[in-house]
Amino acid sequence: MKLLVAIGGNALVSPEHESGGQIDQAKIEAVAASLVALEEEHSLIITHGNGPQVGWLAMQEIEANMSLDLLDAQSEGVIGYRLAQAMDNCRQRERSLSLLTRVVVDTDDPAFSHPAKPVGPVLDESRAQRLASQQGWQFAEVAGGRRRVVASPQPVRVVESAAISQLMSAGYSVICAGGGGIPVLEQQGQSRGISAVIDKDYTSALLAAELKLDVLLLLTNVEALYDNWNQPTARAVRLAGCESLRDRGFQQGSMGPKVEAACRFVRDGGGFAGIGRLTEAQAILEERRGTRIVTDNVPVTWW
């Protein structure tokens, strides 16, 4: 099958470095090994998050005040390079390719007026206020302090989708659209970058649908989609149709975008979407682990 595997940005950092976003080589190698195992039976396109990394880079570039599109490109390049090299080393064959990817967004997207995507480390109140005053950054309250929030517009078109398709057909595992891709605007025949961070799950769903792939895998550090998460009545969802997941209140900061992305993909003609642990990707494909989401009005069943 042809798969798009979307990896959460936190899967690439160790717990002690999560707030700083520093990439952990052992995590990179573990992710690479899981992906190479999937290659034995499937063709892969790989995307990844960059929320921890792009926020950390912004903190390092405060004096330069670099636009987020440049930091998106920087983080996409660094993570893509390290993951491609780790995959090639794991299989001892050069088959991985990392591609900087531009994603068109709409200048009228309401996200530009209401930044809501958290990036970077949790800061104390005084430091957040200082950065808000000096840099014009916006912050939201989170557990333990405040975290920067940025615009996260909806992806409209993946510029390099044709190239990605050709590379996949040539036998490469393509690492692309890292961090949701580099956001660009198209105006009067010209494109330019814009400061934002696109949700990588939404871009992954769009790209998988554009390329008519069979499966979208949204892999994270949670074993499945949970109904009533963090409640005594919490249950892991095994199978569900998109309609049966409507209005179940999945959190926007965690599983909400994954559920929405999964439903976009299957409604656009994809086979099915899976949500679960990175280490259990093959089991998710075989319906032995994780959550499978389909487009039909299938009732929810639980593990």
Side-chain angles (χ1 to χ4, degrees):
M1 292 190 293
K2 294 181 179 181
L3 316 180
L4 191 149
V5 183
I7 302 164
N10 287 331
L12 306 178
V13 298
S14 58
E16 62 268 25
H17 294 143
E18 187 170 321
S19 63
Q22 295 97 325
I23 301 166
D24 183 272
Q25 186 59 29
K27 289 277 190 177
I28 284 277
E29 291 173 2
V31 168
S34 296
L35 293 170
V36 168
L38 284 177
E39 284 180 342
E40 295 180 5
E41 297 182 26
H42 310 288
S43 298
L44 302 187
I45 290 175
I46 302 148
T47 65
H48 58 80
N50 74 340
Q53 292 79 25
V54 78
W56 179 79
L57 285 171
M59 296 294 293
Q60 312 312 304
E61 299 286 354
I62 286 176
E63 290 187 7
N65 198 24
M66 290 180 67
S67 175
L68 282 171
D69 60 311
L70 300 179
L71 299 179
D72 289 331
Q74 187 174 344
S75 61
E76 183 179 6
V78 169
I79 295 172
Y81 151 67
R82 293 184 66 173
L83 188 53
Q85 184 162 264
M87 290 178 69
D88 284 350
N89 287 341
C90 181
R91 80 171 82 78
Q92 297 187 329
R93 185 158 63 95
E94 296 171 352
R95 181 180 164 183
S96 303
L97 187 147
S98 176
L99 183 67
L100 287 178
T101 312
R102 294 164 294 171
V103 177
V104 177
V105 298
D106 190 340
T107 187
D108 295 324
D109 194 300
F112 289 112
S113 301
H114 300 89
K117 183 175 181 61
V119 298
V122 176
L123 305 178
D124 60 46
E125 181 71 26
S126 62
R127 192 174 187 193
Q129 287 184 354
R130 185 166 63 253
L131 287 170
S133 175
Q134 294 174 350
Q135 304 295 325
W137 292 359
Q138 294 180 256
F139 290 85
E141 291 186 11
V142 296
R146 298 179 71 81
R147 198 173 178 199
R148 185 185 179 188
V149 290
V150 302
S152 184
Q154 293 294 317
V156 175
R157 181 175 68 86
V158 178
V159 175
E160 282 80 13
S161 62
I164 293 166
S165 179
Q166 291 176 21
L167 290 165
M168 186 184 206
S169 297
Y172 290 98
S173 288
V174 187
I175 303 163
C176 58
I182 305 162
V184 298
L185 299 175
E186 291 183 327
Q187 296 173 323
Q188 298 179 342
Q190 301 290 310
S191 67
R192 64 177 179 86
I194 189 166
S195 191
V197 176
I198 306 170
D199 188 284
K200 73 102 173 39
D201 292 325
Y202 291 161
T203 297
S204 298
L206 175 65
L207 180 60
E210 285 182 346
L211 300 185
K212 302 185 186 306
L213 304 186
D214 301 304
V215 178
L216 171 64
L217 286 181
L218 303 170
L219 302 181
T220 180
N221 56 358
V222 179
E223 62 184 347
L225 177 67
Y226 270 79
D227 206 7
N228 298 322
W229 175 252
N230 268 346
Q231 302 296 322
T233 56
R235 291 188 290 180
V237 176
R238 179 173 185 168
L239 174 68
C242 291
E243 289 302 316
S244 62
L245 294 174
R246 188 187 296 274
D247 301 325
R248 285 184 176 264
F250 297 110
Q251 291 184 340
Q252 278 304 110
S254 57
M255 282 297 177
K258 287 179 170 51
V259 172
E260 175 62 25
C263 289
R264 290 183 187 183
F265 170 67
V266 296
R267 285 169 173 160
D268 284 340
F272 68 89
I275 297 175
R277 292 190 195 278
L278 175 65
T279 54
E280 297 177 337
Q282 185 60 43
I284 295 169
L285 291 175
E286 296 170 357
E287 225 172 340
R288 295 185 287 109
R289 293 286 189 276
T291 300
R292 177 175 290 209
I293 297 176
V294 296
T295 188
D296 296 327
N297 191 21
V298 174
V300 176
T301 59
W302 294 271
W303 286 102

